[in-house]
Amino acid sequence: MKDYQPDFAQWSLDAIRDEDGALSWLEEQRFNWATTTAAVLADILAGKTIILITDEKRKWFENYILSSINNDKIDRPIIPIISIDSIYKHYNNINGGEMIDILDNMLTLSYKENYTFWYIGSGDDKRSDMAKRKDSTYFWIFDEDFHNAFTMKSFDSHLDIKLLQLYKLFNASLNAGMFGEVDVNS
């Protein structure tokens, strides 16, 4: 008999509530969280590479994610995640569709369509343009309603704390999905 695995929405609600109120702000957005996060977790578990893009104001957070997600103390396989800036150092200089097309072609050749973007930042930042072209992009986007995105407000005085809390929940979700504690496909 197969062990019971809760669906990801229920698992997320339980994980949010286990934080003794620290994530109470997230409870009302949990379905948005669960839908978008379950999809990217399924991509990761299927072996896709995550290409992380942030706006300039969240570069500190990009560095935090990249240094902590695969740190030397984890008890799980290493996750294939890389910054767009480490792939193409001149990413900030991209203007217009033609250069985005060229970079997209390079990524397709390099990763054989086996990648997805994770964008964190303002919806009106030009660094989001490439990520917005790919339907499977995982968004933590600010000040914009965008399909298949977890949305937040950039003027929230607790935004940095909330980002760190979300990352903690994301990391716990990744572990739970990887070790069969939750069904990310439900």
Side-chain angles (χ1 to χ4, degrees), residues 106-126:
M106 186 272 297
L107 293 173
T108 299
L109 288 170
S110 299
Y111 294 99
K112 311 286 189 254
E113 291 292 333
N114 202 25
Y115 69 93
T116 193
F117 294 114
W118 179 4
Y119 178 76
I120 303 167
S122 176
D124 64 1
D125 190 287
K126 75 175 190 166

Side-chain angles (χ1 to χ4, degrees), residues 30-75:
R30 71 184 180 276
F31 293 112
N32 212 6
W33 163 263
T35 302
T36 58
T37 303
V40 78
L41 292 175
D43 284 348
I44 291 169
L45 296 176
K48 284 190 175 184
T49 296
I50 302 300
I51 300 174
L52 184 59
I53 306 172
T54 65
D55 63 12
E56 286 301 318
K57 289 182 181 177
R58 261 51 71 174
K59 288 304 260 179
W60 69 269
F61 191 51
E62 175 183 294
N63 291 330
Y64 179 79
I65 290 170
L66 292 172
S67 67
S68 65
I69 200 165
N70 288 322
N71 72 50
D72 59 353
K73 308 244 185 308
I74 60 167
D75 289 329

Side-chain angles (χ1 to χ4, degrees), residues 154-170:
S154 64
F155 54 82
D156 184 334
S157 61
H158 297 101
L159 180 60
D160 290 351
I161 293 166
K162 288 179 177 180
L163 286 171
L164 291 168
Q165 290 172 327
L166 279 176
Y167 175 73
K168 181 180 176 187
L169 181 59
F170 176 83

Side-chain angles (χ1 to χ4, degrees), residues 4-35:
Y4 169 74
Q5 289 180 318
D7 69 21
F8 189 69
Q10 182 60 51
W11 184 92
S12 294
L13 177 60
D14 294 342
I16 289 166
R17 289 181 174 167
D18 285 347
E19 290 296 317
D20 296 323
L23 293 176
S24 61
W25 64 271
L26 182 56
E27 192 166 336
E28 65 188 45
Q29 293 181 291
R30 71 184 180 276
F31 293 112
N32 212 6
W33 163 263
T35 302

Side-chain angles (χ1 to χ4, degrees), residues 51-105:
I51 300 174
L52 184 59
I53 306 172
T54 65
D55 63 12
E56 286 301 318
K57 289 182 181 177
R58 261 51 71 174
K59 288 304 260 179
W60 69 269
F61 191 51
E62 175 183 294
N63 291 330
Y64 179 79
I65 290 170
L66 292 172
S67 67
S68 65
I69 200 165
N70 288 322
N71 72 50
D72 59 353
K73 308 244 185 308
I74 60 167
D75 289 329
R76 67 166 185 240
I78 293 174
I79 305 305
I81 184 169
I82 190 164
S83 166
I84 191 71
D85 297 304
S86 64
I87 295 171
Y88 186 64
K89 295 284 185 203
H90 307 288
Y91 186 72
N92 277 344
N93 299 329
I94 290 180
N95 284 314
E98 184 177 340
M99 195 58 203
I100 291 175
D101 290 341
I102 291 169
L103 183 55
D104 187 50
N105 287 340

